[in-house]
Amino acid sequence: MPKTDLKKVHKALYTATADPRRVDVPDFPFLMIDGAGDPNGDGYRQAVEALYSVAYTVRFALKDAEVLEYPVMPLQGLWWTAEGQDFSHDLTRDAWRWTIMIMQPAQATDEVVREALTAAAKKKPGLPVPDVRAERLHEGACVQVLHTGPFATEHTTLDRLYEFIEKEGLAITGRHHEIYLSDARRVAQEKMRTILRYPVTPLSA
């Protein structure tokens, strides 16, 4: 049975440094679920549980069928507000909108995902599993930087990223994107690692 680790295959997209840099992000399949409000609230927690429930059901289905064995990818999130894609941690959390997602292997076909949704919904009837969907995301040209520390201090890292974007003559064209390399339940706040990313385009384009 084939084995892979998509985080290693796409290493440039799942590693970053404190110095911002450009990356090109191809089209990838994801499991996604949308929501709004405080990420410390029950709505977000239940959405994350539902997303992981489907992701692991897909993983085990592909493994049991001897199609592919792989580790589930890191959780990711797109963040914006009702007024548009501008996002700031200074805003009231009730104003936040989010799509949380987990990248999938190409072998996670529509049929595999449909069966996983049905199975996960039966196993976890109290979670919003029916709200999980399969969707592709193509961000293209992006800039990203590694933030180390609690989410509350991301603004200091974002300031460096914004300075880099301005220096490079770029403009932000998409939503604030976070890739969670650490499990907040198991890692001390000061050691948490999060990739911060924005799709960009040249100002002259």
Side-chain angles (χ1 to χ4, degrees):
M1 176 171 52
K3 296 183 180 181
T4 192
D5 185 338
L6 294 174
K7 193 163 64 172
K8 293 180 179 178
V9 172
H10 303 288
K11 184 177 179 180
L13 305 180
Y14 288 91
T15 57
T17 67
D19 295 321
R21 64 183 175 91
R22 297 193 192 204
V23 293
D24 187 72
V25 185
D27 177 274
F28 288 120
F30 283 87
L31 292 174
M32 301 182 177
I33 185 170
D34 303 321
D38 192 338
N40 290 322
D42 288 340
Y44 183 84
R45 178 185 57 78
Q46 291 179 359
V48 170
E49 289 184 26
L51 189 64
Y52 270 114
S53 178
V54 179
Y56 274 99
T57 302
V58 169
R59 176 185 182 272
F60 288 122
L62 292 176
K63 181 180 179 180
D64 291 345
E66 298 187 348
V67 173
L68 183 69
E69 185 174 355
Y70 63 97
V72 169
M73 290 291 280
L75 186 70
Q76 306 186 38
L78 301 177
W79 298 84
W80 70 101
T81 68
E83 287 71 34
Q85 63 189 30
D86 291 339
F87 176 77
S88 171
H89 286 79
D90 295 330
L91 295 172
T92 302
R93 292 188 173 197
D94 289 343
W96 292 0
R97 303 290 185 270
W98 38 264
T99 296
I100 50 174
M101 53 195 190
I102 299 174
M103 183 181 163
Q104 299 297 291
Q107 293 86 344
T109 63
D110 289 344
E111 181 180 359
V112 170
V113 172
R114 281 196 301 269
E115 292 177 355
L117 285 167
T118 299
K122 290 180 179 178
K123 188 175 181 180
K124 302 284 187 177
L127 295 177
V129 171
D131 295 334
V132 176
R133 69 184 184 280
E135 185 174 317
R136 302 190 73 88
L137 179 66
H138 182 200
E139 291 180 296
C142 292
V143 295
Q144 67 183 32
V145 67
L146 179 67
H147 171 71
T148 302
F151 299 131
T153 63
E154 278 187 9
H155 62 279
T156 59
T157 304
L158 284 172
D159 285 344
R160 294 202 311 275
L161 188 61
Y162 296 148
E163 289 175 5
F164 178 81
I165 291 171
E166 182 177 2
K167 181 180 178 181
E168 294 290 306
L170 303 170
I172 294 172
T173 58
R175 291 172 175 166
H176 176 90
H177 186 167
E178 300 185 351
I179 302 173
Y180 309 109
L181 302 179
S182 304
D183 187 337
R185 299 168 302 177
R186 297 180 173 88
V187 177
Q189 291 281 307
E190 65 273 14
K191 294 182 179 179
M192 286 174 48
R193 298 165 63 248
T194 307
I195 295 176
L196 307 179
R197 178 185 293 168
Y198 275 107
V200 292
T201 190
L203 282 171
S204 58

